[in-house]
Amino acid sequence: MGHIRILGAGECGLPLAHRLLRAGRPVTLVAARDAAAVLNGTVTSTQVKFPATLDLESAAGLGHWRSVAPEIRGIRLAAVMDGQRILGWTGRFTRPAQSVDQRTVFARWLTDYLDAGGDLEIGDPPVAEIDRRAGEYDLTVVTRASGELAACFPADPGWPAPGRPARQLAVLYLEGATPDPDDLGIYVSLPGLGEVISYPGLTGSPGQERRCEMLLIEAIPGGPLDVFDPHHPPSEQLRRARRLLETYLPADLADRYRTAELTDARAALTGAVPPAVRRPVGTLPSGRPVLGGGDVVCRMDPGGAQGANNAAHCAETYAAAILACPDGPFDRSWMVSAATPWLTGTAHHAARWTAAVLDPPAEMQQFMLAAQHDPALANAFADTFARPADMVRFTAARNADTAPLG
């Protein structure tokens, strides 16, 4: 029975390690930080997990927050210019989504993994060491990579070459924000400027979680929303966020955050996500193949709300493929066949959806306009965040003038 090494302890690596460990497979997980360091670190991103992802986590014994995290029941969408709504509607999810601070999640999952007898290594090994040690394992799965290791995975020629990030990002976790009265997330498009996205979630130490509001400001680079500097302290990030909300949002939305404060001293993050779609099989300097997963292979801006979901489905697909082939060989051909269902069934749809949300094509814009007057269309649009493959189906239905999707 082959021994598996997993590099990266995030939304893909941790569930994959848990699934293999529970099935009795020898597995070694390599994490950059231990649970305490993760919990006491800076927020890592925003994340909305949709029902299919929550179901996967529950099935793997990882859904600790399913009954306690606030439910996100849909989207309150608005397009705003000069502080005034020019478009607005509410779309309901078929089943609610949820969000939990990744610091909370990863700390708990790391602790659970160790308690279950999992083999954990703490560190960030260089490519030369990864290459050398790959010979000790039957399969190496890379779910976290940057720089030299990421370069081992060639760009997928079927996708546009990665360019600059579409947005500059500011993430703030807040307490004291006024909750949405209908348990909805908000998605505000500011044409020519960017987006403001906000929804409820949980943060805090495992067992001591508390409600918060997760705010994501997406700025078109160089535009008026692009005012955040990673060198500024969190208090300054909050001050700038408040000023932007008061300047560009309608008063009723901006007022929700007027007295909000950061949940903790590390509850603000700025940066950008260069999109990338890569081939799932990387080649180390020795020529050994390694299997890539999660955002190593398909990395997207968080504005499409796909990253955590994409990673979770990758973990489930890879675990099933490994468990179906207990003795290997985990060669290059096997790696391609293991990754293909995830890529074609989940990742590529998610990447297309994210690109479309940030730069809506004409068909999507027409659909969004029509949704103002048709709740079924609004619900269909909201649910496409949970099922990105539906994007083609509902635009085709709209163009063919067929009945809207419910």
Side-chain angles (χ1 to χ4, degrees):
M1 185 177 290
H3 195 152
I4 314 299
R5 191 180 196 215
I6 301 169
L7 301 173
E11 297 283 9
C12 183
L14 272 164
L16 176 57
H18 272 275
R19 288 175 179 274
L20 297 178
L21 185 65
R22 288 185 60 173
R25 292 301 303 262
V27 57
T28 294
L29 177 65
V30 181
R33 299 175 294 167
D34 63 18
V38 169
L39 191 60
N40 293 313
T42 299
V43 293
T44 57
S45 183
T46 58
Q47 60 291 305
V48 176
K49 293 182 178 179
F50 296 104
T53 298
L54 297 173
D55 290 344
L56 289 178
E57 292 181 352
S58 295
L62 302 173
H64 304 302
W65 303 275
R66 195 74 182 267
S67 63
V68 295
E71 291 187 336
I72 306 168
R73 297 185 177 275
I75 299 170
R76 193 180 302 280
L77 184 142
V80 173
M81 295 186 69
D82 299 324
Q84 302 297 317
R85 290 176 176 84
I86 58 173
L87 178 151
W89 46 256
T90 294
R92 304 279 178 166
F93 298 143
T94 301
R95 297 167 61 202
Q98 292 180 318
S99 182
V100 181
D101 188 337
Q102 288 179 332
R103 297 176 297 179
T104 306
V105 172
F106 297 163
R108 174 66 189 270
W109 286 355
L110 277 168
T111 300
D112 289 350
Y113 176 77
L114 286 173
D115 289 346
D119 182 31
L120 178 65
E121 298 177 0
I122 303 296
D124 190 8
V127 170
E129 181 183 338
I130 294 169
D131 196 359
R132 177 179 59 80
R133 294 199 59 192
E136 303 172 11
Y137 298 88
D138 294 270
L139 173 65
T140 298
V141 184
V142 181
T143 69
R144 177 181 178 274
S146 59
E148 186 183 4
L149 182 55
C152 294
F153 294 86
D156 188 328
W159 291 80
R164 294 183 177 180
R167 300 289 189 270
Q168 294 292 319
L169 310 173
V171 174
L172 301 99
Y173 284 26
L174 305 171
E175 52 191 356
T178 303
D180 183 271
D182 300 312
D183 297 325
L184 304 177
I186 67 165
Y187 190 105
V188 179
S189 173
L190 300 167
L193 305 178
E195 299 80 31
V196 174
I197 302 166
S198 178
Y199 46 82
L202 283 185
T203 188
S205 301
Q208 301 177 24
E209 299 92 342
R210 62 192 187 281
R211 185 182 176 115
C212 68
E213 188 77 11
M214 298 172 178
L215 175 67
L216 171 62
I217 298 176
E218 296 227 331
I220 292 177
L225 303 186
D226 188 5
V227 299
F228 297 94
D229 187 324
H231 298 101
H232 288 154
S235 59
E236 176 63 14
Q237 311 289 18
L238 176 61
R239 189 188 71 80
R240 293 184 177 219
R242 280 180 176 154
R243 187 175 64 194
L244 291 181
L245 298 178
E246 291 170 358
T247 302
Y248 294 102
L249 263 57
D252 62 304
L253 290 180
D255 285 347
R256 290 183 53 193
Y257 308 95
R258 194 172 303 279
T259 61
E261 298 290 343
L262 294 170
T263 58
D264 60 87
R266 296 178 177 84
L269 176 70
T270 63
V273 179
V277 179
R278 300 187 176 100
R279 289 283 178 83
V281 182
T283 304
L284 297 174
S286 67
R288 292 188 180 94
V290 288
L291 177 62
D295 62 9
V296 171
V297 176
C298 187
R299 185 176 64 222
M300 298 161 282
D301 186 279
Q306 297 303 309
N309 300 279
N310 188 48
H313 284 270
C314 180
E316 192 272 339
T317 301
Y318 284 10
I322 292 167
L323 296 175
C325 188
D327 299 315
F330 301 114
D331 55 17
R332 190 177 296 268
S333 175
W334 178 90
M335 293 179 186
V336 171
S337 66
T340 297
W342 164 61
L343 289 171
T344 59
T346 302
H348 290 167
H349 293 301
R352 292 188 187 98
W353 169 252
T354 299
V357 167
L358 295 180
D359 186 14
E363 297 86 353
M364 181 179 284
Q365 293 181 38
Q366 293 169 9
F367 190 93
M368 293 166 69
L369 286 169
Q372 293 186 99
H373 312 292
D374 190 333
L377 290 180
N379 293 342
F381 187 90
D383 257 343
T384 307
F385 277 91
R387 298 189 298 271
D390 285 357
M391 180 178 71
V392 173
R393 192 159 60 93
F394 75 56
T395 54
R398 184 67 189 166
N399 292 339
D401 212 18
T402 59
L405 301 177

